[in-house]
């Protein structure tokens, strides 16, 4: 600062310290687009900071026990994707920290992940003579790698529907028919959320 008299004469310059306090960043917007299990959820948002030159680190907690970090500049928009292995509603939080170590409030949103019904990928029936065991086996598929699967088997002879748990997504069962004939066997897959997939029909020819 240089003082100047009313005669226009410069005085002796001197300095005064000016302290500019850092301001914490904030999350200006945050949203997660829903998706099916094992498909990408898209998280979008924007960061705000009075310090337009600040670099911002974002800590993203996906709500499923995993997290990641992302670096952006003040005022920037961001977009991330994440895959959830199972259906559910997940609380996603984003916490901003600037390069002056100022931590802003966490912003939260919900990621809604929907279930996908299982499918019968393959099924084979090996028929036998009446009074002998007919063998049925197959493989199931499901988008959710954590889902426990089972099948309902209608043997087509009026007997009660049989429920068989899948092991490593494979199933096997057997049936002894009391009489000869052609029996339509129906296999319906289900997951641990009771979502029913499309049934598969096979013929058991009993001689």
């Amino acid at each position: 600062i240089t003082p100047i008299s009313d005669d226009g004469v410069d005085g002796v310059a001197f300095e005064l310290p000016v302290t500019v306090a850092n301001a914490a960043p904030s999350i200006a917007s945050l949203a997660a687009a829903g998706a099916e299990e094992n498909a990408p959820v898209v998280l979008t948002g924007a960061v705000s900071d009075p310090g337009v030159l600040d670099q911002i680190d974002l800590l993203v907690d996906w709500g499923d026990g995993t997290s990641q970090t992302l670096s952006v500049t003040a005022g920037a928009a961001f977009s991330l994707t994440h895959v959830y292995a199972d259906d559910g509603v997940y609380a996603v939080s984003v916490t901003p920290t600037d390069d002056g170590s100022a931590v802003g409030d966490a912003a939260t949103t919900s990621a809604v992940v929907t279930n996908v019904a299982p499918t019968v990928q393959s099924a084979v029936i090996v028929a036998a003579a009446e009074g002998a065991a007919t063998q049925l086996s197959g493989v199931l598929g499901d988008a959710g790698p954590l889902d426990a699967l089972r099948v309902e088997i209608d043997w087509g002879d009026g007997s009660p529907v049989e429920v068989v748990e899948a092991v490593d997504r494979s199933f096997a069962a057997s049936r002894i028919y009391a009489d000869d004939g052609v029996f339509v066997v129906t296999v319906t897959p289900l997951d641990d959320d009771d979502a029913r997939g499309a049934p598969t029909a096979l013929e058991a020819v009993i001689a």
Side-chain angles (χ1 to χ4, degrees):
I1 299 175
T2 303
I4 301 175
S5 71
D6 55 6
D7 295 323
V9 179
D10 292 348
V12 178
F14 64 95
E15 296 180 353
L16 289 176
V18 176
T19 302
V20 179
N22 187 27
S26 61
I27 303 299
S29 63
L30 188 67
E36 295 178 340
E37 57 187 346
N38 211 35
V41 167
V42 180
L43 178 71
T44 57
V47 181
S48 177
D49 193 312
V52 296
L53 300 180
D54 283 1
Q55 190 74 18
I56 313 296
D57 289 332
L58 303 177
L59 174 61
V60 182
D61 184 338
W62 291 105
D64 62 351
T66 64
S67 62
Q68 71 180 98
T69 57
L70 174 71
S71 292
V72 297
T73 56
F78 61 89
S79 178
L80 292 170
T81 61
H82 184 69
V83 174
Y84 291 93
D86 202 5
D87 58 283
V89 179
Y90 297 87
V92 182
S93 67
V94 179
T95 304
T97 303
D98 68 16
D99 49 15
S101 300
V103 181
D105 293 334
T108 60
T109 189
S110 294
V112 179
V113 180
T114 55
N115 188 39
V116 179
T119 61
V120 178
Q121 291 188 336
S122 64
V124 176
I125 194 164
V126 180
E130 57 182 317
T134 293
Q135 305 293 330
L136 170 67
S137 60
V139 176
L140 305 178
D142 195 299
L146 302 181
D147 285 0
L149 306 181
R150 65 188 188 278
V151 292
E152 291 181 350
I153 303 171
D154 183 344
W155 291 101
D157 59 354
S159 61
V161 171
E162 182 178 356
V163 178
V164 176
E165 301 292 333
V167 178
D168 294 331
R169 310 232 155 169
S170 297
F171 67 92
S174 63
R175 177 71 179 166
I176 296 176
Y177 289 96
D179 199 4
D180 62 284
V182 178
F183 300 88
V184 177
V185 180
T186 304
V187 179
T188 303
L190 298 93
D191 65 15
D192 50 11
D193 293 305
D194 293 329
R196 304 173 71 88
T200 295
L202 306 95
E203 287 189 347
V205 180
I206 307 303

